[in-house]
Amino acid sequence: QVQLVESGGGLVQAGGSLRLSCAASGSIFNGYAMGWYRQAPGKQRELVACLTISGRTDYADSVKGRFTISRDNAKNTVYLQMNSLKPEDTAVYYCNLGYYRYSCSRESDYWGQGTQVTVSS
């Protein structure tokens, strides 16, 4: 069983930065890709960033060059560094333990509770 706990959200002005953390319990954390997702009010959840066990990263076009996903396997934690934030980045952000090792093309059932990010203009 894996439990994921996100933290680091908050209110920030446009142009600011936040770093989200997703701490995982369970020994299988290191064996799978990790993804950060977000869901804004009235919109579908979208994949923002993916990090595979080989270190390959993928980003949504809307966040490329601004967001960076990373992981610390020793701490069972994945991070999302968000820079140059925009009001349209406002959403609840979730981490997900991927179903596969080398892609985030399928989500597992393991989700965190979410952390709210609000970017004011």
Side-chain angles (χ1 to χ4, degrees):
Q1 187 72 14
V2 176
Q3 291 186 326
L4 304 174
V5 179
E6 299 101 338
S7 61
L11 174 64
V12 64
Q13 288 189 331
S17 298
L18 285 173
R19 189 177 80 155
L20 306 184
S21 299
C22 172
S25 63
S27 60
I28 66 173
F29 169 81
N30 296 341
Y32 294 89
M34 289 293 298
W36 279 100
Y37 296 74
R38 69 185 179 187
Q39 187 166 21
K43 295 188 177 181
Q44 288 189 332
R45 184 171 58 205
E46 63 171 338
L47 176 63
V48 173
C50 174
L51 176 61
T52 72
I53 63 167
S54 64
R56 184 174 65 87
T57 57
D58 290 307
Y59 298 95
D61 288 343
S62 59
V63 306
K64 281 181 182 176
R66 300 188 297 121
F67 290 12
T68 302
I69 187 171
S70 62
R71 69 194 295 167
D72 184 335
N73 287 336
K75 295 182 178 180
N76 279 7
T77 300
V78 64
Y79 304 98
L80 186 67
Q81 178 67 44
M82 306 186 295
N83 299 328
S84 302
L85 283 161
K86 304 176 181 180
E88 51 264 43
D89 295 319
T90 295
V92 179
Y93 284 72
Y94 302 88
C95 59
N96 178 259
L97 180 71
Y99 191 84
Y100 300 119
R101 291 184 170 88
Y102 298 107
S103 80
C104 293
S105 59
R106 180 175 174 177
E107 305 154 6
S108 73
D109 293 334
Y110 299 113
W111 293 92
Q113 82 287 355
T115 185
Q116 175 71 48
V117 171
T118 303
V119 185
S120 63
S121 58

